[in-house]
């Protein structure tokens, strides 16, 4: 089983409404949050998956859990609370890219507490995004990462930077480097890598990150595809899949899920296996993730593909 830990929230996405005139745009609520989308995508692909978070008892929270259960995701590890659900107001650019403004004060997901030991049979733990920024939950998620890595669980991290939530960039970068000894697979966008590198030298930063712990770093390049780099300096890349982009919401989260799903199919959810994975297998894994992400980009909101769509 793969456990995905992190926030679940509601995206408020602008809706085209010609009758609105000069008034504020209509907003459509959609289920979201990087880890939430990753768990949903894994469930749709058919991977045994559990979601680990704290979710509100309000109507939004119920809707979030309902969708996970519908897609086959185990919610037994989800903590519940009376606090409201986090809201993220999305803005969609002309190229389909998404930006976000967050309403996070006093919300349920940031009050996550470290759970007891994860169930037997957990093979991988995936974390990232807002959950590793907003305290006090961020420290609990960090403790979960360290504890599970120490007991040999395969760990994956997608920082998925939201700069508006990070008050001290240098402090966050230092904290990020502190996670790396506990991470087996680091996946991030080229924009996030550039921001984390600070110096602007992404190649040098990736070499530094690999030396700190991860067996592999996967870098996404938007429509240009994605690449992987390993500790020994080897790597490869695959092109993006050409589609008519509606928006990019959930595309990176779909990549997370697709990577884990395909690596599991190759029996490669371990640091030693990842370090020795051949180029042909990596091309298969990356190509699968690129196809999955393209399908997500071809439809509105975070709607990852089902396994049957990738046959």
């Amino acid at each position: 089983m793969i456990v995905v830990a992190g926030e679940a929230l509601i995206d408020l996405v602008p809706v085209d409404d010609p009758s609105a005139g000069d008034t504020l745009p209509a907003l459509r609520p959609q289920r979201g949050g990087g880890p939430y989308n990753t768990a949903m995508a894994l469930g749709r692909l058919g991977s045994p998956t559990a979601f680990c978070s704290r979710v509100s008892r309000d109507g939004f929270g119920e809707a979030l859990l309902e969708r996970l259960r519908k897609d086959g995701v185990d919610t037994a590890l989800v903590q519940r609370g009376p606090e409201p659900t986090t809201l993220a107001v999305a803005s969609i650019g002309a190229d389909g890219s998404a930006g976000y403004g967050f309403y996070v004060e006093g919300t349920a997901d940031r009050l996550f507490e470290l759970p007891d030991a994860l169930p037997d049979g957990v093979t991988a733990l995936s974390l990232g995004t807002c959950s590793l920024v907003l305290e006090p939950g961020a420290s609990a998620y960090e403790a979960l990462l360290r504890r599970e890595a120490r007991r040999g669980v395969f760990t994956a991290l997608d920082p998925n930077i939201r700069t508006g939530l990070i008050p001290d960039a240098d402090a966050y970068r230092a904290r990020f480097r502190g996670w790396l000894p506990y991470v087996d697979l680091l996946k991030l966008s080229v924009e996030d890598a550039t921001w984390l590198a600070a110096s602007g030298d992404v190649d040098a930063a990736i070499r530094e990150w690999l030396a700190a712990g991860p067996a592999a770093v996967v870098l996404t390049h938007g429509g240009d595809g994605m690449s992987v780099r390993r500790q020994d300096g080897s790597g490869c890349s695959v092109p993006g899949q050409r589609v008519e982009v509606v928006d990019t919401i959930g595309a990176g989260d779909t990549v997370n899920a697709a990577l884990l799903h395909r690596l599991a199919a190759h029996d490669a959810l371990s640091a030693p296996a990842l370090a020795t994975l051949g180029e042909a297998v990596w091309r298969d894994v990356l190509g699968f993730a690129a196809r999955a992400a393209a399908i997500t980009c071809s439809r509105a909101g975070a709607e990852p593909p089902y396994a049957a769509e990738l046959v």
Side-chain angles (χ1 to χ4, degrees), residues 117-289:
L118 298 182
D120 293 338
V122 171
T123 55
L125 172 67
S126 173
L127 300 103
T129 317
C130 311
S131 55
L132 286 166
V133 175
L134 299 170
E135 295 290 5
S139 290
Y141 285 113
E142 181 178 308
L144 179 64
L145 168 66
R146 294 172 186 265
R147 186 186 75 190
E148 297 306 311
R150 289 189 182 107
R151 75 182 190 95
V153 172
F154 181 89
T155 56
L157 173 67
D158 175 13
N160 202 359
I161 302 299
R162 299 288 183 250
T163 56
L165 295 176
I166 300 175
D168 186 332
D170 289 338
Y172 178 87
R173 291 181 181 114
R175 193 172 191 179
F176 163 76
R177 291 192 294 272
W179 298 327
L180 296 179
Y182 304 92
V183 172
D184 295 313
L185 174 64
L186 174 63
K187 173 263 169 186
L188 66 175
S189 69
V190 68
E191 294 84 4
D192 288 348
T194 301
W195 187 88
L196 284 165
S199 67
D201 190 340
V202 173
D203 286 340
I206 290 175
R207 290 194 296 270
E208 175 190 336
W209 299 336
L210 284 165
V217 173
V218 171
L219 199 64
T220 60
H221 305 266
D224 293 328
M226 61 190 75
S227 58
V228 65
R229 187 88 59 83
R230 299 194 306 199
Q231 286 183 341
D232 64 3
S234 65
C236 63
S237 62
V238 299
Q241 300 287 309
R242 298 302 173 188
V243 294
E244 185 174 342
V245 176
V246 175
D247 65 49
T248 63
I249 296 173
D253 311 321
T254 299
V255 170
N256 291 339
L259 290 173
L260 292 169
H261 178 80
R262 201 66 163 184
L263 286 170
H266 287 287
D267 196 25
L269 287 184
S270 72
L274 207 62
T276 58
L277 214 58
E279 182 176 325
V281 177
W282 265 119
R283 288 188 181 279
D284 171 74
V285 171
L286 296 178
F288 180 82

Side-chain angles (χ1 to χ4, degrees), residues 29-82:
Q30 294 182 338
R31 302 165 181 87
Y36 179 89
N37 294 337
T38 297
M40 179 172 62
L42 278 163
R44 291 184 176 190
L45 290 173
S47 282
T49 305
F51 187 55
C52 182
S53 183
R54 181 179 174 90
V55 173
S56 176
R57 297 192 188 99
D58 65 14
F60 284 144
E62 292 299 328
L64 286 161
L65 295 186
E66 178 186 20
R67 172 58 66 84
L68 288 179
R69 295 179 186 125
K70 180 181 178 182
D71 285 325
V73 177
D74 187 335
T75 60
L77 293 172
V78 174
Q79 304 163 19
R80 304 300 300 274

